[in-house]
Coordinates of all heavy atoms in Angstrom, one line a residue:
M8 N 4.6 1.5 33.0 CA 4.3 0.6 32.0 C 2.8 0.6 31.6 O 2.4 0.2 30.6 CB 4.6 -0.8 32.5 CG 6.0 -1.3 32.1 SD 6.3 -1.1 30.4 CE 7.9 -1.6 30.3
Q9 N 2.0 1.2 32.5 CA 0.6 1.2 32.2 C 0.3 2.1 31.0 O -0.6 1.8 30.3 CB -0.2 1.7 33.4 CG -1.7 1.5 33.2 CD -2.5 1.7 34.5 OE1 -1.9 1.8 35.6 NE2 -3.8 1.6 34.4
A10 N 1.1 3.1 30.9 CA 0.9 4.1 29.7 C 1.1 3.3 28.4 O 0.3 3.5 27.5 CB 1.8 5.2 29.8
R11 N 2.1 2.4 28.4 CA 2.3 1.6 27.2 C 1.1 0.7 26.9 O 0.7 0.6 25.8 CB 3.6 0.8 27.3 CG 3.9 0.1 26.1 CD 5.2 -0.7 26.2 NE 5.5 -1.4 24.9 CZ 6.5 -2.1 24.7 NH1 7.5 -2.2 25.6 NH2 6.7 -2.7 23.6
G12 N 0.6 0.0 27.9 CA -0.5 -0.8 27.7 C -1.7 -0.1 27.3 O -2.5 -0.5 26.4
S13 N -1.9 1.1 27.8 CA -3.0 2.0 27.4 C -2.9 2.4 26.0 O -3.9 2.4 25.2 CB -3.0 3.2 28.3 OG -3.7 4.3 27.8
R14 N -1.7 2.8 25.5 CA -1.5 3.2 24.1 C -1.7 2.0 23.2 O -2.3 2.1 22.1 CB -0.1 3.7 23.9 CG 0.3 4.9 24.7 CD 0.1 6.2 24.1 NE 0.8 6.3 22.8 CZ 0.4 7.1 21.9 NH1 -0.5 8.0 22.1 NH2 1.1 7.2 20.7
E15 N -1.3 0.8 23.6 CA -1.5 -0.4 22.8 C -3.0 -0.7 22.6 O -3.5 -1.0 21.6 CB -0.8 -1.6 23.3 CG 0.7 -1.5 23.2 CD 1.5 -2.6 23.9 OE1 0.9 -3.4 24.5 OE2 2.7 -2.6 23.8
Q16 N -3.7 -0.5 23.7 CA -5.2 -0.7 23.7 C -5.8 0.3 22.8 O -6.8 0.0 22.0 CB -5.8 -0.7 25.1 CG -7.3 -1.0 25.1 CD -7.5 -2.4 24.6 OE1 -6.9 -3.4 25.0 NE2 -8.5 -2.5 23.7
E17 N -5.4 1.6 22.9 CA -5.9 2.6 22.0 C -5.7 2.3 20.6 O -6.6 2.5 19.7 CB -5.3 4.0 22.3 CG -5.7 4.6 23.6 CD -5.0 5.9 23.9 OE1 -4.7 6.6 22.9 OE2 -4.8 6.3 25.0
A18 N -4.5 1.8 20.3 CA -4.2 1.4 18.9 C -5.1 0.3 18.4 O -5.6 0.3 17.3 CB -2.7 1.0 18.8
R19 N -5.2 -0.7 19.3 CA -6.1 -1.9 18.9 C -7.5 -1.4 18.7 O -8.2 -1.8 17.7 CB -6.1 -2.9 20.0 CG -4.9 -3.9 19.9 CD -5.1 -5.1 20.8 NE -5.0 -4.8 22.2 CZ -3.9 -4.7 22.9 NH1 -2.7 -4.9 22.3 NH2 -3.9 -4.4 24.2
D20 N -8.0 -0.5 19.6 CA -9.4 0.0 19.4 C -9.5 0.8 18.1 O -10.5 0.7 17.4 CB -9.7 0.9 20.6 CG -9.9 0.1 21.9 OD1 -10.0 -1.1 21.9 OD2 -9.8 0.8 23.0
Y21 N -8.5 1.6 17.8 CA -8.6 2.4 16.6 C -8.6 1.5 15.3 O -9.4 1.7 14.4 CB -7.3 3.3 16.5 CG -7.3 4.2 15.3 CD1 -7.9 5.4 15.2 CD2 -6.6 3.7 14.1 CE1 -7.9 6.2 14.1 CE2 -6.6 4.5 13.0 CZ -7.2 5.7 13.0 OH -7.2 6.5 11.8
L22 N -7.7 0.5 15.3 CA -7.7 -0.5 14.2 C -9.1 -1.2 14.0 O -9.6 -1.3 12.9 CB -6.6 -1.5 14.4 CG -5.2 -1.0 14.3 CD1 -4.2 -2.2 14.6 CD2 -4.9 -0.5 12.9
E23 N -9.7 -1.5 15.2 CA -11.0 -2.2 15.1 C -12.1 -1.2 14.7 O -12.9 -1.6 13.8 CB -11.3 -2.8 16.5 CG -12.6 -3.6 16.5 CD -12.8 -4.3 17.9 OE1 -11.8 -4.7 18.5 OE2 -14.0 -4.3 18.3
K24 N -12.1 0.0 15.3 CA -13.1 0.9 15.0 C -13.2 1.3 13.5 O -14.2 1.4 12.9 CB -12.9 2.2 15.8 CG -13.9 3.3 15.5 CD -13.6 4.6 16.3 CE -14.6 5.7 16.0 NZ -14.3 6.9 16.7
H25 N -12.0 1.5 12.9 CA -11.9 1.9 11.5 C -11.7 0.7 10.5 O -11.5 0.9 9.3 CB -10.8 2.9 11.3 CG -11.0 4.2 12.1 ND1 -11.9 5.1 11.7 CD2 -10.5 4.6 13.3 CE1 -12.0 6.1 12.6 NE2 -11.1 5.8 13.6
R26 N -11.8 -0.5 11.1 CA -11.7 -1.7 10.3 C -10.5 -1.7 9.4 O -10.5 -2.1 8.2 CB -13.0 -1.8 9.5 CG -14.2 -1.9 10.4 CD -15.5 -1.8 9.7 NE -15.7 -2.7 8.6 CZ -16.7 -2.6 7.7 NH1 -17.6 -1.7 7.8 NH2 -16.8 -3.5 6.7
I27 N -9.3 -1.4 10.0 CA -8.1 -1.3 9.2 C -7.6 -2.7 8.8 O -7.2 -2.8 7.6 CB -7.0 -0.6 10.1 CG1 -7.4 0.8 10.5 CG2 -5.7 -0.6 9.3 CD1 -7.6 1.8 9.4
M28 N -7.7 -3.7 9.6 CA -7.3 -5.0 9.2 C -8.1 -5.5 8.0 O -7.6 -6.1 7.1 CB -7.3 -6.0 10.4 CG -6.4 -5.6 11.5 SD -4.7 -5.2 11.0 CE -4.1 -6.8 10.4
E29 N -9.4 -5.2 8.0 CA -10.3 -5.6 6.9 C -9.8 -4.9 5.6 O -9.8 -5.5 4.6 CB -11.7 -5.3 7.2 CG -12.4 -6.2 8.2 CD -13.9 -5.7 8.4 OE1 -14.6 -5.5 7.4 OE2 -14.3 -5.7 9.6
L30 N -9.5 -3.7 5.8 CA -9.0 -2.9 4.6 C -7.7 -3.5 4.1 O -7.6 -3.6 2.9 CB -8.8 -1.4 5.0 CG -8.2 -0.5 4.0 CD1 -9.1 -0.4 2.7 CD2 -7.9 0.9 4.5
L31 N -6.8 -3.8 4.9 CA -5.5 -4.4 4.5 C -5.7 -5.7 3.8 O -5.1 -6.0 2.7 CB -4.6 -4.5 5.7 CG -4.0 -3.2 6.2 CD1 -3.2 -3.5 7.5 CD2 -3.2 -2.5 5.2
N32 N -6.6 -6.5 4.3 CA -6.9 -7.8 3.7 C -7.6 -7.6 2.3 O -7.2 -8.2 1.3 CB -7.9 -8.7 4.5 CG -7.2 -9.2 5.7 OD1 -6.0 -9.4 5.7 ND2 -7.9 -9.5 6.8
Y33 N -8.5 -6.6 2.2 CA -9.1 -6.3 0.9 C -8.1 -5.8 -0.1 O -8.0 -6.2 -1.2 CB -10.2 -5.2 1.2 CG -10.7 -4.7 -0.1 CD1 -11.7 -5.4 -0.9 CD2 -10.4 -3.4 -0.6 CE1 -12.2 -4.9 -2.1 CE2 -10.9 -3.0 -1.8 CZ -11.8 -3.7 -2.5 OH -12.2 -3.2 -3.7
L34 N -7.2 -4.9 0.4 CA -6.2 -4.3 -0.5 C -5.2 -5.4 -1.0 O -4.8 -5.4 -2.2 CB -5.4 -3.2 0.2 CG -6.2 -1.9 0.4 CD1 -5.4 -0.9 1.3 CD2 -6.6 -1.3 -0.9
T35 N -4.8 -6.3 -0.2 CA -4.0 -7.4 -0.6 C -4.6 -8.3 -1.6 O -4.0 -8.6 -2.6 CB -3.6 -8.3 0.7 OG1 -2.9 -7.4 1.6 CG2 -2.7 -9.4 0.3
S36 N -5.9 -8.6 -1.4 CA -6.6 -9.4 -2.3 C -6.8 -8.7 -3.7 O -6.6 -9.3 -4.7 CB -8.0 -9.8 -1.8 OG -7.9 -10.5 -0.6
T37 N -7.1 -7.4 -3.6 CA -7.2 -6.6 -4.8 C -5.9 -6.6 -5.6 O -5.9 -6.7 -6.8 CB -7.7 -5.2 -4.4 OG1 -8.9 -5.3 -3.7 CG2 -7.9 -4.3 -5.7
L38 N -4.8 -6.4 -4.9 CA -3.5 -6.3 -5.6 C -3.3 -7.6 -6.3 O -2.9 -7.6 -7.5 CB -2.4 -6.0 -4.6 CG -1.0 -6.1 -5.1 CD1 -0.8 -5.0 -6.2 CD2 0.0 -6.0 -4.0
L39 N -3.5 -8.7 -5.6 CA -3.3 -10.0 -6.3 C -4.2 -10.2 -7.5 O -3.8 -10.8 -8.5 CB -3.4 -11.2 -5.3 CG -2.4 -11.2 -4.2 CD1 -2.7 -12.2 -3.1 CD2 -1.0 -11.3 -4.7
F40 N -5.4 -9.8 -7.3 CA -6.4 -10.0 -8.4 C -6.1 -9.1 -9.6 O -6.2 -9.5 -10.8 CB -7.8 -9.6 -7.9 CG -8.9 -9.8 -8.9 CD1 -9.4 -11.1 -9.2 CD2 -9.4 -8.7 -9.6 CE1 -10.4 -11.2 -10.1 CE2 -10.5 -8.9 -10.5 CZ -10.9 -10.1 -10.8
F41 N -5.6 -7.9 -9.4 CA -5.4 -6.9 -10.5 C -3.9 -6.9 -10.9 O -3.5 -6.1 -11.7 CB -5.8 -5.5 -10.1 CG -7.3 -5.3 -10.0 CD1 -7.9 -5.2 -8.8 CD2 -8.0 -5.4 -11.2 CE1 -9.3 -5.1 -8.8 CE2 -9.4 -5.2 -11.2 CZ -10.0 -5.1 -10.0
W42 N -3.1 -7.9 -10.4 CA -1.7 -7.9 -10.8 C -1.5 -7.9 -12.3 O -0.7 -7.1 -12.8 CB -1.1 -9.2 -10.2 CG 0.4 -9.3 -10.2 CD1 1.1 -9.7 -11.3 CD2 1.3 -9.1 -9.2 NE1 2.4 -9.7 -11.0 CE2 2.6 -9.4 -9.7 CE3 1.2 -8.7 -7.9 CZ2 3.7 -9.2 -9.0 CZ3 2.3 -8.5 -7.1 CH2 3.6 -8.8 -7.7
P43 N -2.2 -8.7 -13.1 CA -2.0 -8.7 -14.5 C -2.4 -7.3 -15.1 O -1.7 -6.8 -16.0 CB -3.0 -9.7 -15.0 CG -3.2 -10.6 -13.9 CD -3.2 -9.8 -12.7
A44 N -3.4 -6.6 -14.6 CA -3.7 -5.3 -15.1 C -2.6 -4.3 -14.8 O -2.3 -3.4 -15.6 CB -5.0 -4.8 -14.5
L45 N -1.9 -4.4 -13.7 CA -0.8 -3.5 -13.3 C 0.3 -3.6 -14.4 O 0.9 -2.7 -14.8 CB -0.3 -3.8 -11.9 CG -1.2 -3.5 -10.8 CD1 -0.6 -3.9 -9.5 CD2 -1.5 -2.0 -10.7
K46 N 0.5 -4.9 -14.8 CA 1.5 -5.1 -15.8 C 1.1 -4.5 -17.1 O 1.9 -3.9 -17.8 CB 1.8 -6.6 -16.0 CG 2.5 -7.2 -14.8 CD 2.7 -8.7 -15.0 CE 3.4 -9.3 -13.8 NZ 3.5 -10.8 -13.9
T47 N -0.1 -4.7 -17.5 CA -0.7 -4.2 -18.8 C -0.6 -2.7 -18.8 O -0.2 -2.1 -19.9 CB -2.1 -4.6 -19.0 OG1 -2.2 -6.0 -18.9 CG2 -2.7 -4.1 -20.3
L48 N -0.8 -2.0 -17.7 CA -0.8 -0.5 -17.6 C 0.6 0.0 -17.5 O 0.8 1.2 -17.6 CB -1.6 0.0 -16.4 CG -3.1 -0.3 -16.5 CD1 -3.8 0.0 -15.2 CD2 -3.7 0.5 -17.7
G49 N 1.6 -0.9 -17.4 CA 3.0 -0.5 -17.3 C 3.3 0.0 -15.9 O 4.4 0.6 -15.7
L50 N 2.5 -0.3 -14.9 CA 2.8 0.1 -13.5 C 3.6 -1.0 -12.8 O 4.1 -0.8 -11.7 CB 1.5 0.4 -12.8 CG 0.6 1.5 -13.3 CD1 -0.7 1.6 -12.5 CD2 1.4 2.8 -13.2
L51 N 3.7 -2.1 -13.5 CA 4.5 -3.2 -12.9 C 5.1 -4.0 -14.1 O 4.3 -4.4 -15.0 CB 3.6 -4.1 -12.1 CG 4.3 -5.3 -11.4 CD1 5.2 -4.8 -10.3 CD2 3.3 -6.2 -10.8
T52 N 6.4 -4.0 -14.2 CA 7.0 -4.7 -15.3 C 6.9 -6.2 -15.2 O 6.7 -6.7 -14.0 CB 8.5 -4.4 -15.5 OG1 9.2 -4.7 -14.3 CG2 8.6 -2.9 -15.8
A53 N 6.9 -7.0 -16.2 CA 6.7 -8.4 -16.2 C 7.7 -9.1 -15.3 O 7.4 -10.1 -14.6 CB 6.8 -9.0 -17.6
D54 N 9.0 -8.6 -15.2 CA 10.0 -9.3 -14.4 C 10.2 -8.6 -13.1 O 11.0 -9.0 -12.3 CB 11.3 -9.3 -15.2 CG 11.8 -7.9 -15.5 OD1 11.0 -6.9 -15.4 OD2 13.0 -7.7 -15.8
E55 N 9.4 -7.6 -12.7 CA 9.5 -7.0 -11.5 C 8.9 -7.8 -10.3 O 7.9 -8.5 -10.5 CB 8.7 -5.6 -11.5 CG 9.0 -4.8 -10.3 CD 8.4 -3.4 -10.4 OE1 7.8 -3.1 -11.5 OE2 8.6 -2.6 -9.5
V56 N 9.7 -7.9 -9.3 CA 9.2 -8.6 -8.1 C 9.0 -7.6 -7.0 O 9.8 -6.8 -6.6 CB 10.3 -9.6 -7.6 CG1 9.9 -10.3 -6.4 CG2 10.6 -10.6 -8.8
L57 N 7.8 -7.7 -6.4 CA 7.4 -6.8 -5.3 C 8.0 -7.5 -4.0 O 7.7 -8.7 -3.8 CB 5.9 -6.6 -5.1 CG 5.2 -5.9 -6.3 CD1 3.8 -5.9 -6.0 CD2 5.8 -4.5 -6.5
K58 N 8.8 -6.8 -3.3 CA 9.4 -7.3 -2.1 C 9.4 -6.3 -1.0 O 9.4 -5.1 -1.3 CB 10.8 -7.9 -2.4 CG 11.8 -6.8 -2.8 CD 13.1 -7.4 -3.1 CE 14.0 -6.3 -3.7 NZ 15.2 -6.7 -4.2
D59 N 9.4 -6.8 0.2 CA 9.5 -5.9 1.4 C 10.9 -5.6 1.6 O 11.7 -6.5 1.9 CB 8.8 -6.6 2.6 CG 8.8 -5.8 3.8 OD1 9.2 -4.6 3.7 OD2 8.4 -6.3 4.8
D60 N 11.3 -4.3 1.5 CA 12.7 -3.9 1.8 C 12.9 -3.6 3.3 O 13.9 -3.1 3.7 CB 13.1 -2.7 0.9 CG 12.3 -1.5 1.2 OD1 11.4 -1.5 2.1 OD2 12.5 -0.5 0.5
G61 N 11.9 -3.8 4.1 CA 12.0 -3.6 5.5 C 11.7 -2.2 5.9 O 11.7 -1.8 7.1
H62 N 11.3 -1.3 5.0 CA 10.9 0.0 5.2 C 9.4 0.2 5.0 O 8.9 -0.4 4.1 CB 11.7 1.0 4.3 CG 13.2 1.0 4.6 ND1 14.0 0.1 3.8 CD2 14.0 1.6 5.4 CE1 15.2 0.3 4.2 NE2 15.3 1.2 5.2
A63 N 8.9 1.1 5.8 CA 7.4 1.3 5.7 C 7.2 2.1 4.4 O 8.0 2.9 4.0 CB 6.9 2.2 6.9
V64 N 6.1 1.8 3.8 CA 5.7 2.6 2.6 C 4.8 3.7 3.0 O 3.7 3.5 3.4 CB 5.0 1.7 1.5 CG1 4.5 2.5 0.4 CG2 5.9 0.6 1.1
T65 N 5.3 4.9 3.0 CA 4.5 6.1 3.3 C 3.7 6.5 2.1 O 3.9 6.1 1.0 CB 5.4 7.2 3.8 OG1 6.2 7.6 2.7 CG2 6.3 6.8 5.0
L66 N 2.7 7.3 2.4 CA 1.8 7.8 1.3 C 2.7 8.6 0.4 O 2.6 8.5 -0.9 CB 0.7 8.7 1.9 CG -0.2 9.3 0.9 CD1 -0.9 8.3 0.0 CD2 -1.3 10.2 1.6
D67 N 3.6 9.4 0.9 CA 4.5 10.2 0.0 C 5.4 9.4 -0.9 O 5.6 9.6 -2.0 CB 5.3 11.2 0.8 CG 4.5 12.3 1.4 OD1 3.5 12.7 0.9 OD2 4.9 12.9 2.5
K68 N 5.9 8.3 -0.3 CA 6.8 7.4 -1.0 C 6.0 6.7 -2.1 O 6.4 6.6 -3.3 CB 7.3 6.4 -0.1 CG 8.4 5.5 -0.6 CD 8.9 4.6 0.6 CE 10.2 3.9 0.3 NZ 10.6 3.0 1.4
F69 N 4.8 6.3 -1.8 CA 3.9 5.6 -2.8 C 3.5 6.6 -3.9 O 3.6 6.3 -5.1 CB 2.6 5.1 -2.1 CG 1.6 4.5 -3.0 CD1 1.8 3.3 -3.5 CD2 0.5 5.2 -3.4 CE1 0.9 2.7 -4.4 CE2 -0.4 4.7 -4.3 CZ -0.2 3.4 -4.8
R70 N 3.2 7.8 -3.5 CA 2.8 8.9 -4.5 C 3.9 9.2 -5.4 O 3.8 9.3 -6.6 CB 2.3 10.1 -3.7 CG 1.8 11.2 -4.7 CD 1.3 12.4 -3.9 NE 0.2 12.1 -3.1 CZ 0.1 12.5 -1.8 NH1 1.0 13.1 -1.2 NH2 -1.0 12.2 -1.1
R71 N 5.1 9.3 -4.9 CA 6.3 9.6 -5.7 C 6.6 8.5 -6.8 O 6.8 8.8 -7.9 CB 7.6 9.8 -4.9 CG 7.7 11.2 -4.2 CD 9.1 11.4 -3.7 NE 9.5 10.4 -2.7 CZ 9.2 10.4 -1.4 NH1 8.6 11.5 -0.9 NH2 9.7 9.5 -0.6
E72 N 6.4 7.3 -6.3 CA 6.7 6.1 -7.2 C 5.6 6.1 -8.3 O 5.9 5.9 -9.5 CB 6.7 4.8 -6.4 CG 7.0 3.6 -7.2 CD 8.4 3.6 -7.8 OE1 9.3 4.3 -7.3 OE2 8.6 2.9 -8.8
V73 N 4.3 6.3 -7.9 CA 3.3 6.3 -9.0 C 3.5 7.4 -9.9 O 3.4 7.2 -11.2 CB 1.9 6.4 -8.3 CG1 0.8 6.6 -9.3 CG2 1.6 5.1 -7.5
N74 N 3.8 8.6 -9.4 CA 4.0 9.8 -10.3 C 5.2 9.5 -11.3 O 5.1 9.8 -12.5 CB 4.2 11.0 -9.5 CG 3.0 11.6 -8.9 OD1 1.9 11.2 -9.3 ND2 3.1 12.3 -7.8
K75 N 6.3 8.9 -10.7 CA 7.4 8.6 -11.6 C 7.1 7.7 -12.7 O 7.4 7.9 -13.8 CB 8.5 8.0 -10.7 CG 9.8 7.7 -11.5 CD 10.8 7.1 -10.6 CE 10.6 5.6 -10.7 NZ 11.6 4.7 -10.0
R76 N 6.3 6.7 -12.4 CA 5.9 5.7 -13.4 C 5.0 6.3 -14.4 O 5.0 6.0 -15.6 CB 5.4 4.4 -12.7 CG 6.4 3.7 -12.0 CD 5.9 2.4 -11.3 NE 6.9 1.8 -10.5 CZ 7.1 0.5 -10.4 NH1 6.3 -0.3 -11.1 NH2 8.0 0.0 -9.7
M77 N 4.0 7.1 -13.9 CA 3.1 7.7 -14.8 C 3.8 8.7 -15.8 O 3.5 8.7 -17.0 CB 2.0 8.5 -14.1 CG 1.0 7.5 -13.4 SD 0.2 6.3 -14.4 CE -0.8 7.4 -15.4
E78 N 4.8 9.4 -15.3 CA 5.6 10.3 -16.2 C 6.3 9.5 -17.2 O 6.4 9.9 -18.4 CB 6.6 11.1 -15.3 CG 5.9 12.2 -14.5 CD 6.9 13.0 -13.6 OE1 8.1 12.8 -13.8 OE2 6.4 13.7 -12.7
E79 N 6.9 8.3 -16.8 CA 7.6 7.5 -17.8 C 6.6 7.0 -18.9 O 7.0 7.0 -20.1 CB 8.2 6.3 -17.1 CG 9.4 6.7 -16.2 CD 9.9 5.5 -15.3 OE1 9.3 4.4 -15.4 OE2 10.8 5.7 -14.6
I80 N 5.4 6.6 -18.5 CA 4.4 6.1 -19.4 C 4.0 7.3 -20.4 O 4.0 7.1 -21.6 CB 3.2 5.6 -18.7 CG1 3.6 4.3 -18.0 CG2 2.0 5.3 -19.7 CD1 2.5 3.8 -17.0
W81 N 3.7 8.4 -19.8 CA 3.2 9.6 -20.6 C 4.3 10.2 -21.5 O 4.1 10.9 -22.5 CB 2.5 10.6 -19.8 CG 1.2 10.2 -19.4 CD1 0.8 9.7 -18.2 CD2 0.0 10.1 -20.2 NE1 -0.5 9.3 -18.2 CE2 -1.0 9.6 -19.4 CE3 -0.3 10.4 -21.5 CZ2 -2.3 9.4 -19.9 CZ3 -1.6 10.3 -22.0 CH2 -2.6 9.7 -21.2
A82 N 5.6 10.0 -21.1 CA 6.7 10.5 -21.9 C 6.7 9.9 -23.3 O 7.2 10.5 -24.2 CB 8.0 10.2 -21.2
A83 N 6.1 8.7 -23.5 CA 6.1 8.1 -24.7 C 5.2 8.8 -25.7 O 5.2 8.6 -26.9 CB 5.7 6.6 -24.6
F84 N 4.2 9.6 -25.2 CA 3.3 10.2 -26.0 C 3.7 11.6 -26.3 O 3.4 12.5 -26.8 CB 1.9 10.3 -25.4 CG 1.3 8.9 -25.2 CD1 1.4 8.3 -23.9 CD2 0.8 8.2 -26.2 CE1 0.9 7.0 -23.7 CE2 0.3 6.9 -26.0 CZ 0.4 6.3 -24.8

């Protein structure tokens, strides 16, 4: 069991060292602040509800979604 405690401590240390929790708080605040801009840019529809589907959002998943939406926007031109 000590290995698990050690890994958990390493994870806590990493989060603290790289200020990950501060970053998450900042990103959440930024998202809420720029919510209207996301709608204006067409990255979020007016009736769209952001919800947690219980799955982690990976960088690849995020990138695919942004690319898909950008292609839809640019297809109009």
Side-chain angles (χ1 to χ4, degrees):
M8 269 307 176
Q9 189 166 357
R11 182 176 181 179
S13 156
R14 300 266 307 160
E15 289 173 359
Q16 185 61 46
E17 285 179 33
R19 277 192 292 276
D20 292 345
Y21 180 87
L22 292 174
E23 186 177 322
K24 177 181 178 183
H25 297 286
R26 299 167 54 189
I27 301 297
M28 297 311 293
E29 287 180 45
L30 175 63
L31 289 175
N32 288 334
Y33 172 77
L34 291 173
T35 300
S36 298
T37 302
L38 174 64
L39 294 175
F40 182 77
F41 289 108
W42 190 280
L45 294 174
K46 290 180 183 177
T47 301
L48 293 171
L50 297 175
L51 182 70
T52 61
D54 60 345
E55 187 171 3
V56 176
L57 297 178
K58 61 183 175 190
D59 182 4
D60 63 0
H62 297 93
V64 176
T65 64
L66 178 58
D67 289 334
K68 191 177 194 181
F69 177 77
R70 185 180 294 132
R71 279 192 305 271
E72 185 64 24
V73 169
N74 287 339
K75 180 182 91 173
R76 291 179 185 218
M77 290 303 293
E78 287 176 14
E79 290 171 358
I80 291 168
W81 284 103
F84 298 101

